Amino acid sequence: MRPKRTLATALLAVAALAALAIAALSASAAAAKPKVIFVAGQVGIPFYTSVQCGAQDAAKKYGIDLKWTGSTDWDIAKEMPFINAAIQLKPKAIIFSPTDSTALVPVTNQMWKKGIVPITVDAPLAKPVDAANFQSNHFAGGVAAAKAMIKLTGGKGTYLDVDLKPGLPDIGARTRGFVTTMKAHGASVLPIAYPGTDSSKAAAMVSAAIRAHPDLTGVYVTHSAAAQGASAAIKQAGKQGKIKLIAFDADPQQIVDLKRGVYDALVVQEPYQMGWQSVKLAGQMARGQVKRGQVKEEHLLPFFVVTRSNVNNVQVKQYFYKASC
């Protein structure tokens, strides 16, 4: 004889089924959200904050569990602990900025072997072993900076190029684009200055160039940290407006300084798109929607030259870097 089910027993059974259903739904939702870790090249600066904004917005739109991390300095020794920690967490994909294009090639191959999709942003690897790379067309940006400088100065006098450090493929391309274009125009370019990301060191180098070369006509800076030092040196020397200053990037303070006449032009990248597009692709590859080899490796994003004549243009303003998301 079958035992009678009491109302309490029936309710408990329903509750158990409901709990199982909720657990299953939760597990399904978690499984549908692939884990992606983004190791930024340098956290805490407006360029990478803008990358982060794009990455977070893409993660929200495409249902991706995104973790943002990274060092406060562009340094392979400081970045590697973050990359190694990310690998240990076994995410579906790791997006990172190659602070050393050669040293990170074997690390990228290691990611593939562990079933992790590697995607790079801002700078390329020495070999295209990543799934995809999103960066600016750095050489073309340097060429555009040179053309803007020639338009401002006629190419007469002496010019200083402030790089970051030797051997960087991205920043180096900005220098090559500028120097080759200036020299093709017949301009005199001083030996390249390498202050790293130290704005004080950049200021000292530019100050030394101003003292040693009274005919210094223009200074071109390849990154925002050194640009702060270069602008300070020019102002301290009382040469604002006389020595033309062109720099990469569009940090909030750089935009203010452009309007005030400290800068004469800024070469603006699209960091938001770097974050957005890399995270979107990471999600697609994690879900098997896009496979290795189905997407091109190199993605060169455009840039804009901003001057006082177009700085208030609504279409231009959307590309200014963000201090926060």
Side-chain angles (χ1 to χ4, degrees):
M1 183 177 174
R2 176 185 261 178
K4 293 182 179 179
R5 296 180 66 187
T6 65
L7 179 59
T9 303
L11 288 174
L12 284 172
V14 170
L17 287 171
L20 286 171
I22 291 171
L25 286 171
S26 298
S28 175
K33 263 195 165 187
K35 181 188 291 184
V36 175
I37 300 177
F38 203 126
V39 182
Q42 186 178 0
V43 298
I45 62 172
F47 177 89
Y48 271 104
T49 298
S50 301
V51 175
Q52 182 180 9
C53 295
Q56 290 176 343
D57 287 350
K60 184 177 180 180
K61 180 175 176 63
Y62 297 108
I64 296 166
D65 179 8
L66 178 70
K67 180 181 180 182
W68 179 269
T69 187
S71 167
T72 55
D73 197 10
W74 184 275
D75 186 328
I76 181 64
K78 295 179 180 178
E79 183 183 34
M80 276 309 303
F82 290 95
I83 290 179
N84 288 332
I87 293 173
Q88 292 301 314
L89 291 174
K90 299 179 180 179
K92 291 292 185 180
I94 295 176
I95 305 170
F96 63 99
S97 304
T99 55
D100 186 312
S101 60
T102 302
L104 285 167
V105 168
V107 178
T108 304
N109 287 327
Q110 181 187 1
M111 291 180 192
W112 281 119
K113 290 177 182 178
K114 291 182 176 292
I116 301 169
V117 176
I119 297 173
T120 59
V121 298
D122 192 22
L125 290 165
K127 295 180 181 180
V129 294
D130 47 355
N133 169 259
F134 297 88
Q135 62 172 318
S136 299
N137 189 331
H138 301 285
F139 184 87
V143 171
K147 289 180 177 178
M149 186 69 81
I150 291 167
K151 186 176 180 180
L152 287 166
T153 65
K156 298 178 181 180
T158 302
Y159 301 86
L160 176 65
D161 181 305
V162 183
D163 202 304
L164 197 152
K165 64 180 180 180
L168 296 177
D170 53 334
I171 305 295
R174 300 176 190 180
T175 282
R176 290 194 303 276
F178 180 81
V179 172
T180 55
T181 305
M182 295 299 292
K183 288 186 174 179
H185 191 79
S188 175
V189 182
L190 296 172
I192 299 164
Y194 293 105
T197 57
D198 189 332
S199 59
S200 297
K201 191 173 181 180
M205 288 179 166
V206 173
S207 293
I210 293 172
R211 290 193 299 269
H213 302 276
D215 65 337
L216 188 65
T217 308
V219 176
Y220 163 63
V221 191
T222 58
H223 60 290
S224 60
Q228 296 172 14
S231 61
I234 291 172
K235 285 189 285 186
Q236 186 176 10
K239 297 286 186 177
Q240 184 173 319
K242 296 178 182 178
I243 296 176
K244 302 303 180 183
L245 178 60
I246 296 178
F248 252 76
D249 296 321
D251 292 1
Q253 188 58 49
Q254 284 181 289
I255 296 300
V256 171
D257 287 342
L258 173 67
K259 293 178 180 179
R260 291 175 176 173
V262 176
Y263 295 100
D264 295 281
L266 296 172
V267 182
V268 182
Q269 304 180 74
E270 289 196 76
Y272 182 94
Q273 284 300 319
M274 290 182 198
W276 176 280
Q277 293 186 31
S278 61
V279 168
K280 178 183 177 181
L281 178 62
Q284 291 173 327
M285 295 191 73
R287 292 185 170 106
Q289 297 165 344
V290 176
K291 298 186 182 299
R292 186 179 185 181
Q294 290 182 326
V295 60
K296 65 178 182 177
E297 191 272 338
E298 185 180 65
H299 299 258
L300 296 179
L301 301 178
F303 57 85
F304 304 88
V305 176
V306 180
T307 63
R308 278 183 289 283
S309 64
N310 66 1
V311 69
N312 292 316
N313 186 302
V314 175
Q315 291 184 328
V316 172
K317 283 182 176 181
Q318 64 179 313
Y319 298 105
F320 296 167
Y321 302 173
K322 303 175 186 298
S324 68
C325 297

